[in-house]
Amino acid sequence: MPPFSTHTVSSYPSEIARVLARQWEVKGHDLALLPDEASLTTILDVCYQASLLREEDDPVRCRIIYAAPDRLMTCLSDRTRPHILAFSEPTTLSAHNLRKLAGAADFYRSLLAVEKQEDGRLVIWGMAVTGTEWVNRVEGSRFEGVQLPENLVVQAVRPGHLVAASGYSRVLETMQGQLLTDGFDPFRSEWISDRFTNVRESLLDQLHASSTELPTTRVCESFVRDVAQGVVRRVLRQMRNRRRGGMLVFLPEGSHRDGTTDDWLRFRVAFHPNELTMIYRDLILRLISRALEVGGPMNMPELTWNHYQQIRDPELRRFDDYLIEFGHLLADMMSVDGALVLDHSFRMIGFGGEILGDTPVHEIHRALDIEATRSVAERADSAGTRHRSAYRLVNGLNQAIAVVVSQDGDARFVAHQNGKLTYWPYLP
């Protein structure tokens, strides 16, 4: 008898199913797109058990989507929907069958499509081919690849690590036996946006100064913010996917000249401070200039993220690809032991940074809301060495921001906010 052909439900997936249903509703997704509780529990249990298996010595990694054939074939346009390959005979959803099919439905290229039949059985009825572009999809970046409907998608990422989503929008994640729901997305906060206001204004001033004529399309400051945050989101996702620990530090502009970095950091590699370290600023200026050039004939009143998504232009697509590569470059440098240090304009200062100073930090506040108007004090020494180094740096440099990623995928933003050294658990 093949393993797991007789299915028993464990209590752990039952808990995941209950929390997932609650999070699904909280995030405003259509509850009608979720299977019933028993089926949801079975789907999560099967995916969880499959993630613990190996096929030809490779761990099982797969994605499934809970959607009937007519839903997948009609809910999106021909250009945006995945390529559907229906099986002549559906096969039972089981950990064994996921293990056998995962090789054909590669994690990065395809999903296995699941539905509930009239007799109550959950079956795998086909494959939905998405291609690999979805891997680079993050909030705050253009995405012109294959879309997914807002149905339930479950990713078996690695042993015991599941991600449940509505289409591409993450809803719940499990890692090392924990349900990751207690966290924030600091990119949505006012405090982090305020720290970079001067940089955005300076960039737009430089753009206007270099223009020979008055543009008909106004650049919205939020667009500059969204593009920059998209780069950092991609870096953090790369680090979590690689299961590599690392630290990303943002210092105020001018820190590479005024002695700040010399006082606080010793680098494995420090970059010569010339214009070549300003890759991001050059890219964003060229991207905006091209968007304004294309947006003018379209009578686009302002350039926002939503407007930008509507533009179809090969040159802008190349700039998008450059930003993706820049994100990968930052993730590579962040993977080196120590801190990757940028300033607020994304100037690359150095990597492999050792944080100096021996003044201990005894207390850190965990934020209870996104602006840290409420917080609770914790012992700083309850965290690891990398975290304590970040606490020490931000405690000494109140305008610095540190993002610490643990090897297990845990990520924290650390900043001085409302007069307190504070951290936010990051859940995108």
Side-chain angles (χ1 to χ4, degrees), residues 114-160:
V114 174
E115 70 168 340
K116 184 177 181 179
Q117 295 194 320
E118 291 183 0
D119 62 4
R121 286 194 311 134
L122 289 165
V123 297
I124 306 169
W125 61 262
M127 294 166 52
V129 183
T130 61
T132 60
E133 283 195 67
W134 72 275
V135 177
N136 287 313
R137 183 188 182 279
V138 295
E139 185 176 350
S141 65
R142 178 197 296 270
F143 181 66
E144 297 181 3
V146 170
Q147 302 290 336
L148 287 178
E150 296 180 350
N151 290 58
L152 173 68
V153 172
V154 180
Q155 303 175 16
V157 182
R158 56 180 61 88

Side-chain angles (χ1 to χ4, degrees), residues 81-98:
R81 95 172 138 250
H83 185 79
I84 308 301
L85 296 171
F87 300 163
S88 59
E89 291 187 15
T91 185
T92 301
L93 176 67
S94 69
H96 173 71
N97 286 336
L98 285 185

Side-chain angles (χ1 to χ4, degrees), residues 226-235 280 323 326-327 330 346:
D226 292 341
V227 175
Q229 291 183 357
V231 171
V232 183
R233 287 180 189 276
R234 181 172 292 110
V235 172
Y280 175 77
L323 287 173
F326 179 63
L330 295 183
F346 284 65

Side-chain angles (χ1 to χ4, degrees), residues 116-291:
K116 184 177 181 179
Q117 295 194 320
E118 291 183 0
D119 62 4
R121 286 194 311 134
L122 289 165
V123 297
I124 306 169
W125 61 262
M127 294 166 52
V129 183
T130 61
T132 60
E133 283 195 67
W134 72 275
V135 177
N136 287 313
R137 183 188 182 279
V138 295
E139 185 176 350
S141 65
R142 178 197 296 270
F143 181 66
E144 297 181 3
V146 170
Q147 302 290 336
L148 287 178
E150 296 180 350
N151 290 58
L152 173 68
V153 172
V154 180
Q155 303 175 16
V157 182
R158 56 180 61 88
H161 184 176
L162 303 182
V163 176
S166 171
Y168 290 122
S169 299
R170 178 195 169 282
V171 177
L172 181 69
E173 188 169 349
T174 73
M175 190 179 296
Q176 294 189 332
Q178 295 182 331
L179 297 180
L180 304 184
T181 59
D182 185 18
F184 304 99
D185 185 355
F187 291 113
R188 300 184 183 279
S189 69
E190 292 183 7
W191 72 264
I192 201 168
S193 178
D194 291 345
R195 300 285 179 98
F196 293 82
T197 297
N198 291 340
V199 172
R200 292 194 298 271
E201 291 176 348
S202 172
L203 188 145
L204 293 177
D205 288 343
Q206 182 177 343
L207 181 74
H208 294 148
S210 63
S211 177
T212 57
E213 57 184 44
L214 190 64
T216 58
T217 301
R218 184 180 70 87
V219 181
C220 188
E221 187 180 321
S222 65
F223 172 73
V224 183
R225 178 199 65 202
D226 292 341
V227 175
Q229 291 183 357
V231 171
V232 183
R233 287 180 189 276
R234 181 172 292 110
V235 172
L236 299 183
R237 192 175 73 174
Q238 284 289 320
M239 294 299 294
R240 296 182 79 204
N241 288 346
R242 296 178 185 184
R243 295 185 70 80
R244 296 293 300 272
M247 187 191 309
L248 173 61
V249 172
F250 285 96
L251 298 179
E253 280 198 287
S255 296
H256 64 293
R257 294 190 303 266
D258 64 11
T260 298
T261 54
D262 293 334
D263 291 342
W264 281 94
L265 292 144
R266 180 165 51 233
F267 290 102
R268 182 175 297 274
V269 172
F271 294 112
H272 186 67
N274 57 27
E275 289 303 307
L276 296 178
T277 60
M278 300 289 288
I279 298 174
Y280 175 77
R281 193 177 186 91
D282 177 63
L283 278 176
I284 188 65
L285 285 170
R286 291 165 63 193
L287 181 150
I288 294 175
S289 296
R290 178 58 182 172

Side-chain angles (χ1 to χ4, degrees), residues 323-398:
L323 287 173
I324 290 173
E325 288 305 315
F326 179 63
H328 282 273
L329 172 64
L330 295 183
D332 291 342
M333 292 187 290
M334 189 175 168
S335 298
V336 175
D337 188 34
L340 166 63
V341 181
L342 313 176
D343 71 10
H344 284 181
S345 63
F346 284 65
R347 176 191 292 274
M348 296 184 292
I349 297 175
F351 64 88
E354 176 189 355
I355 295 174
L356 306 176
D358 55 6
T359 304
V361 174
H362 300 291
E363 186 177 78
I364 179 81
H365 286 78
R366 176 191 173 103
L368 298 179
D369 59 61
I370 200 167
E371 303 296 344
T373 57
R374 297 179 298 115
S375 62
V376 59
E378 296 180 357
R379 290 175 57 92
D381 60 9
S382 63
T385 303
R386 184 180 287 120
H387 291 81
R388 296 199 303 274
S389 295
Y391 299 164
R392 191 167 65 248
L393 175 68
V394 176
N395 194 51
L397 297 174
N398 288 176

Side-chain angles (χ1 to χ4, degrees), residues 142 216-217 287-300 303 308 310-316:
R142 178 197 296 270
T216 58
T217 301
L287 181 150
I288 294 175
S289 296
R290 178 58 182 172
L292 292 175
E293 182 181 343
V294 177
M298 298 173 62
N299 296 318
M300 189 176 291
L303 180 61
Y308 182 70
Q310 299 169 20
I311 301 175
R312 296 292 179 265
D313 178 70
E315 189 170 343
L316 284 179

